Amino acid sequence: SYNPDQSCYGDCPYGSREPNDLTRKHGHVIEEFIEGATAAGLKVYFQLGAVQPSGLRDEDRPCWPSGELMQDRMADTGSLASEAIRSYNRSYVRDLVKAYPLISGFRIDWPEYPCYTFAEVFQDFSPHVARWADAHGFDFLAIQKDVNRFLEYLKNDLSSETLRSISSLDSGASALRAAFAQIEETLPGVNRWLELKAALSTDLIQSWKDIVQQEGGDDLELTAHAFMTPYTRLTGLDFRAAASIADSVSPKFYTMHWSLMIKFWGDVLLAANSSLDEQSLVPALVRLTDIADQVEGCRMEDYGYPHPDQPHPVPDPPQLRKLATVREEMGNQATLVPLVHGYGPLADVRRRLGLVMESEADGVWINRYGYLSDEKIAMIRDLWGEK
């Protein structure tokens, strides 16, 4: 939407995004929108990938525990520890602030390791993380050894008995934590790995905060997007730490993704363990991710990506629990403004949006305007009026 200032990039390994015919014909629309919105008293934010430079190189992509380049990913994000990417973040923010001085702040997406697919859960064992880990007191080689053993167990020796014990755990985010606690004695490096990811995510968010303040001034705001709990145990985002740095935190209430991840993870584990069946696996995954209270009889066909006219298969109690957990972890350090997705039938969007609006959240963001409609927009207006 603008012509980049090449001087902002200096010695950065990544260059600017390239303008094209669309820039020349319609790029001015963005600047005009910002001017009109701010004149009307609205705030305007730019959403950027936290580790997604233009032309991402393989050397800055995450690696599998074996050291091989990560495959089978939904989100093409870079290594949180890559100095080249952090250099690009600074250059890009500097460029955007010069081009659009009226913006109110930045919203960074995926300042963590996404876990949509089973493979993505096991990010990141790249040389960047190895160096960062060693510099920050983590025994990277010991961690890598235990995570490789854990991965081999999940893909070869996972038993129905273990899955049934997981299904019997209490509802709530504590189920995933309890499951990891059970392997502490035999594979301590697995929990150190989760701690490493959390420390690395926090460090990246702090890097973003420093960049935003140094390049745009103290008044420029920073919002960190986040997976919802308990997924953040796997992605690395620490709500308490993030809230101590960012002005706002926005966990994603993308319930259709939660449903899809059951299928994504389940299909891989069933294919790898011929002795397992979905009657034992699916209830365990549902319990670990806390998307239902009653897990008996859960089947793979109950989950997946819902069609546009299908309600999302996540009832109210788990959603309310997740909200309360995040609120407790964040305290009042930063504003809690969850992201609700506009995808789905009208009544279901209203249900999900209403849960957030009636909670202790400080506000709500509605994502993917293109999935809305006149009816949904009228519903949002009426629901907000009721609040």
Side-chain angles (χ1 to χ4, degrees):
S1 63
Y2 73 106
N3 290 298
D5 183 344
Q6 300 302 331
S7 68
C8 292
Y9 296 84
D11 297 328
C12 176
Y14 287 97
S16 67
R17 297 176 184 273
E18 294 298 323
N20 54 27
D21 289 344
L22 190 62
T23 311
R24 287 181 282 274
K25 292 179 181 178
H26 304 292
H28 61 89
V29 170
I30 300 299
E31 183 176 7
E32 292 169 1
F33 174 85
I34 294 171
E35 291 174 351
T38 53
L42 299 175
K43 291 185 176 182
V44 179
Y45 300 85
F46 282 171
Q47 179 176 314
L48 309 178
V51 281
Q52 288 183 291
S54 177
L56 180 61
R57 307 174 302 181
D58 280 353
E59 63 202 80
D60 290 317
R61 286 187 166 92
C63 289
W64 189 252
S66 64
E68 298 171 291
L69 194 65
M70 179 68 67
Q71 303 292 333
D72 189 25
R73 298 197 302 155
M74 272 191 64
D76 188 21
T77 58
S79 172
L80 303 193
S82 167
E83 290 298 332
I85 292 178
R86 295 190 185 201
S87 173
Y88 172 81
N89 291 341
R90 180 175 295 278
S91 297
Y92 194 28
V93 168
R94 181 181 300 156
D95 195 9
L96 289 172
V97 169
K98 289 181 68 174
Y100 301 105
L102 296 179
I103 61 169
S104 307
F106 293 93
R107 303 177 61 84
I108 53 172
D109 202 26
W110 292 316
E112 55 193 332
Y113 284 109
C115 62
Y116 298 108
T117 68
F118 180 79
E120 285 175 317
V121 173
F122 291 88
Q123 302 177 97
D124 166 24
F125 290 83
S126 66
H128 300 295
V129 174
R131 288 190 291 269
W132 193 94
D134 291 340
H136 290 82
F138 290 92
D139 188 339
F140 181 79
L141 293 180
I143 289 173
Q144 187 175 33
K145 179 181 177 181
D146 277 2
V147 173
N148 267 311
R149 289 170 60 194
F150 181 52
L151 184 57
E152 286 302 308
Y153 164 76
L154 292 177
K155 298 186 74 172
N156 294 289
D157 300 310
L158 190 58
S159 69
S160 296
E161 181 181 0
T162 297
L163 294 173
R164 283 192 290 270
S165 70
I166 291 173
S167 300
S168 67
L169 293 170
D170 291 337
S171 297
S174 59
L176 185 64
R177 192 173 297 275
F180 276 108
Q182 293 175 5
I183 64 172
E184 175 66 23
E185 186 174 342
T186 54
L187 296 172
V190 173
N191 283 299
R192 301 295 85 74
W193 165 58
L194 300 179
E195 293 169 5
L196 166 60
K197 287 206 277 190
L200 185 50
S201 172
T202 299
D203 186 66
L204 176 70
I205 295 172
Q206 183 63 63
S207 170
W208 266 99
K209 183 66 172 179
D210 294 342
I211 289 170
V212 168
Q213 289 190 329
Q214 291 164 10
E215 302 298 335
D218 292 342
D219 291 336
L220 209 59
E221 300 173 37
L222 177 69
T223 296
H225 286 191
F227 271 72
M228 180 49 76
T229 183
Y231 301 105
T232 45
R233 179 73 173 149
L234 304 175
T235 69
L237 192 132
D238 181 329
F239 282 109
R240 183 172 287 105
S244 71
I245 301 168
D247 299 286
S248 179
V249 178
S250 290
K252 299 173 183 176
F253 254 69
Y254 295 175
T255 43
M256 69 290 189
H257 288 172
W258 305 347
S259 176
L260 180 63
M261 288 157 67
I262 297 295
K263 179 170 176 54
F264 275 175
W265 297 1
D267 283 348
V268 171
L269 290 170
L270 287 174
N273 295 273
S274 58
S275 63
L276 296 182
D277 55 53
E278 66 178 71
Q279 286 73 31
S280 59
L281 177 61
V282 176
L285 292 177
V286 170
R287 177 66 78 220
L288 287 175
T289 56
D290 188 28
I291 61 172
D293 288 335
Q294 301 300 320
V295 299
E296 296 81 7
C298 288
R299 302 163 300 172
M300 197 76 80
E301 66 184 50
D302 298 328
Y303 297 96
Y305 203 89
H307 294 296
D309 59 348
Q310 289 181 308
H312 299 181
V314 183
D316 293 356
Q319 297 187 54
L320 291 171
R321 270 199 305 273
K322 292 173 189 290
L323 270 173
T325 298
V326 174
R327 177 81 280 176
E328 181 180 0
E329 292 183 9
M330 285 180 54
N332 295 312
Q333 300 179 97
T335 56
L336 168 59
V337 188
L339 279 153
V340 174
H341 210 291
Y343 180 74
L346 176 64
D348 195 57
V349 175
R350 188 192 190 286
R351 174 181 71 97
R352 294 183 278 112
L353 181 61
L355 290 175
V356 176
M357 293 174 70
E358 295 167 9
S359 73
E360 294 185 15
D362 300 300
V364 61
W365 278 86
I366 301 173
N367 195 45
R368 295 299 174 90
Y369 190 90
Y371 283 113
L372 300 182
S373 61
D374 289 347
E375 292 78 13
K376 288 181 182 177
I377 293 171
M379 174 272 293
I380 294 166
R381 177 199 62 207
D382 295 342
L383 193 61
W384 186 258
E386 293 173 7
K387 179 177 173 61

